[in-house]
Amino acid sequence: MSETSATEAPYGTWTSPITPHLLVQGAAGLSGLHASGGWLWWLEARPEEAGRVQLVRRALGDDGMPVGDAVDVLPEGFSARNRVHEYGGGSLWVHGTTALVTSWDDQRIWRVDLDAAPVPITPEPQVRHALRYADGDVSPDGEWIACVREEHGRAGTSEAVNEIVAVRTDGAGEPVVLVSGPDFVARPRWSPDGRHLAWIEWSHPDLPWDATELLVAEVVLVDGDDGPDPELAPEALDDGEPDPDLASLTPVLVGGHVVAGGGGEAVAEVCWDPEDRLWFVSDRSGWWNPWRLDDLDDDEAVPTQVVAIEAELTLPHWIFGTSRLAFPGGGVAVVAQHHGVDHLCWSADRGDVELVEVDAPWTALEGLVAVGDRIAAIGATFTSESEVLLIERIGDRGVEATAVRRARDLGIDAGWLPQPEHVTVPVGDGEVAHALVFPPTSPEVRAPSDERPPLVVMIHGGPTSAARSLLQLNVAFWTSRGFAVADVNYRGSVGYGRAYRHSLDGCWGLSDVEDCVAVARWLAAEGRVDGERLAIRGGSAGGFTTLCALTFHDEFAVGCSSYGVVDLAALAADTHKFESRYLDRLVGPWPEARATYEARSPIHHTDRLATPLLVLQGEQDEIVPPNQAELLVAALRDRGIPHAYLLFPSEQHGFRQASTIIRALEAELLFVSGVLGFVPAGDMEPLAIVGQMGDQR
């Protein structure tokens, strides 16, 4: 439809086919990609099935291309998800045609042989969810899984115990502890010859994007109580001599030592190439770049930087199981993030690496795994949802992709989907903030020429995270109705190097808020949005930034907080182990910095809060418990500030169920529209708002 034939309507009132129901109908979050046994395997989180996670596989033919249809593997009601670190991830591992998954219901590991019912292979704890497993890797011989185990309620401990354990894939015997002692462990990975195990570890008060250590140890098999026997080392079992009874042997680690990392260096992704060389991603250069250790038998060997590039080649370790590095054929493929967008880079030679950015359409890539000379990956763009892809390199810079699992057909014209612009905005003291700015987008409606659009500022969680670089229908939900959206990568966000990531240290609740305000002001000054109609929304840590912006600044007319942090002291005292020392770096040590915590916590400054606010909360949230939301709502009620509060009984941290997602998004639109003074198009369940609407700024 041409601009002249489009219907004219005020911003914010446009009709749109992007409904909350479209966000969840047939939607699936893809993760956990593996290639094994002539199949591709992956996980699908399905909102329409109460958020459960299904295991799916599709066969590959002799030519390595997909054949037949994708097949659901897990029976009805089984969800492959774990609670390690509360965020989970890394819930699927595959060897041959055997899949091993963690069950949300009991947190045990279950074995799923081809066309067979799942069978548990780890013991059932006396207390539900007391033993949780994640981030596994199957030994080359298929006998053992090395994985992270998190134990809750161990006698004599005040917090969960995280260890690396070895579990027999046939379920025989008890798990064997391989690594114990550090507060956290992750990414145990067997070398292809089975001789070594690599892993990363870190301890309080660091988080995995602050400082971690990469360790390597030799794997030796032990027979009973006799101790390590060189004749039982993995390489000795392939010498043509009769093997001992492997069922009686257990692995132990010998000579574990640090090969990279430590103070001021965060090692993230860890993997082995087919030549038994150890690859990892480290930020010791200021950027998360790839490094390699070539000879583990040489005690004098040191890692070398594979390539230097001012881009991030990994993600912060919020969840397990991410992969942005693979070894197709004789080469290496990586994903580099620059200015909020992913770029696929490929080298034909992994010995002498020369990364070339290939011409590829995807702005978000994850889950890289080699499939012969190809790679499989989960890819998306700003106008298409995630797909499982097989990608082949064609020539020097070209690629050709085959969809193994296509994105759902949204049934709408691409003209409804906005393309963002990356902007860099100056803030105080010579610093900058970054944002992805999405304009109002509709092929059927235009606004009056003398009107500027309202703006929704979106705040990502973390805060050590970033705006997502793929189609987000919750963004298009707003832009298709005539809102501009700014997804802000404030200081502390990832994708801009270590210095930018740590520029929020000691300044959470200050710099992030300043950046969000600066982006909104800049867009208004540029005439791109209406400075009198500014909204702000965020979840979790983004909810905290939202609440600080509304409490300590007066730029925004309305706000929406989802499971947001209200009281920093309460968060420091009542959260899970993984983040229990997060605020030491972001705010200050607790309780020594009590005054700072109180100065930055919105709950202590409700006398300054006068902006209408919507509060959304999951009742089962263990990361930001409901009591924080209830303290805020009580303060809003006492002050007579227009507000609404929705508590979702069966939700945790982050909404996963279709009914919740629909209700929450409709409530946000109704609340924002009600405050800004217009009636949105479409039929939605009414929202009860407490207090009188009006100019409350």
Side-chain angles (χ1 to χ4, degrees), residues 210-442:
D210 297 329
T212 63
E213 292 182 326
L214 169 62
L215 292 90
V216 179
E218 185 180 359
V219 180
V220 177
L221 299 176
V222 176
D223 187 5
D225 298 324
D226 295 337
D229 185 340
E231 295 183 0
L232 299 180
E235 66 271 22
L237 299 179
D238 192 28
D239 58 5
E241 297 296 325
D243 291 342
D245 181 9
L246 295 181
S248 67
L249 305 180
T250 58
V252 297
L253 302 183
V254 176
H257 61 288
V258 176
V259 298
E265 178 183 356
V267 174
E269 194 157 337
V270 178
C271 55
W272 301 82
D273 69 16
E275 291 77 39
D276 288 292
R277 294 176 297 195
L278 180 62
W279 293 62
F280 59 94
V281 177
S282 165
D283 66 355
R284 67 172 67 176
S285 69
W287 297 85
W288 264 323
N289 277 194
W291 294 67
R292 189 179 68 212
L293 183 60
D294 289 346
D295 188 358
L296 291 175
D297 293 324
D298 181 0
D299 293 337
E300 303 298 322
V302 295
T304 58
Q305 187 168 5
V306 174
V307 66
I309 181 174
E310 289 192 356
E312 301 279 53
L313 272 65
T314 192
L315 301 171
H317 195 113
W318 282 105
I319 62 173
F320 295 101
T322 58
S323 172
R324 293 161 71 89
L325 179 66
F327 305 106
V332 56
V334 302
V335 178
Q337 187 179 87
H338 180 68
H339 275 184
V341 174
D342 286 344
H343 303 266
L344 179 60
C345 301
W346 206 311
S347 173
D349 186 347
R350 59 175 165 263
D352 184 15
V353 176
E354 183 178 353
L355 285 181
V356 175
E357 182 181 343
V358 298
D359 295 326
W362 308 290
T363 55
L365 282 165
E366 176 46 48
L368 269 64
V369 60
V371 185
D373 291 336
R374 303 180 179 94
I375 59 170
I378 298 169
T381 73
F382 283 116
T383 57
S384 63
E385 293 185 313
S386 295
E387 300 181 303
V388 176
L389 302 162
L390 265 178
I391 305 172
E392 183 176 3
R393 188 172 180 181
I394 307 296
D396 290 336
R397 299 180 62 88
V399 293
E400 187 172 272
T402 300
V404 179
R405 195 277 191 199
R406 293 188 181 277
R408 60 181 170 145
D409 182 3
L410 297 174
I412 60 173
D413 188 275
W416 291 101
L417 306 175
Q419 290 273 10
E421 173 192 357
H422 182 277
V423 301
T424 300
V425 176
V427 292
D429 299 325
E431 302 289 343
V432 297
H434 304 278
L436 297 173
V437 178
F438 299 81
T441 304
S442 171

Side-chain angles (χ1 to χ4, degrees), residues 74-138:
L74 300 176
E76 184 176 355
F78 194 114
S79 182
R81 183 175 159 219
N82 71 76
R83 291 187 58 187
V84 178
H85 294 178
E86 297 300 338
Y87 293 107
S91 295
L92 167 66
W93 327 303
V94 185
H95 184 82
T97 58
T98 296
L100 299 127
V101 297
T102 54
S103 164
W104 175 252
D105 181 64
D106 60 13
Q107 294 295 297
R108 300 163 74 188
I109 301 174
W110 292 64
R111 175 177 176 137
V112 190
D113 290 308
L114 205 62
D115 300 322
V119 177
I121 62 169
T122 52
E124 184 173 6
Q126 294 183 345
V127 178
R128 184 171 181 262
H129 288 194
L131 295 175
R132 309 171 182 181
Y133 301 86
D135 201 21
D137 189 38
V138 183

Side-chain angles (χ1 to χ4, degrees), residues 516-595:
C516 294
V517 170
V519 168
R521 285 176 175 170
W522 183 84
L523 291 170
E526 291 284 308
R528 298 170 63 166
V529 301
D530 184 347
E532 296 299 313
R533 296 191 294 175
L534 305 178
I536 186 168
R537 66 181 298 274
S540 188
F544 171 70
T545 301
T546 294
L547 294 171
C548 286
L550 298 177
T551 302
F552 304 116
H553 297 265
D554 60 4
E555 275 74 18
F556 296 98
V558 60
C560 304
S561 171
S562 299
Y563 36 90
V565 177
V566 178
D567 185 349
L568 291 174
L571 181 66
D574 185 19
T575 193
H576 58 131
K577 177 185 176 182
F578 180 68
E579 292 182 274
S580 62
R581 302 292 297 277
Y582 195 11
L583 301 192
D584 284 23
R585 184 183 292 269
L586 292 174
V587 181
W590 174 260
E592 293 85 350
R594 182 186 300 273

Side-chain angles (χ1 to χ4, degrees), residues 5 69 79 140 156 177 234 244 247 297 320 435 506 638 654:
S5 60
D69 296 324
S79 182
V177 176
D297 293 324
F320 295 101
D638 292 345

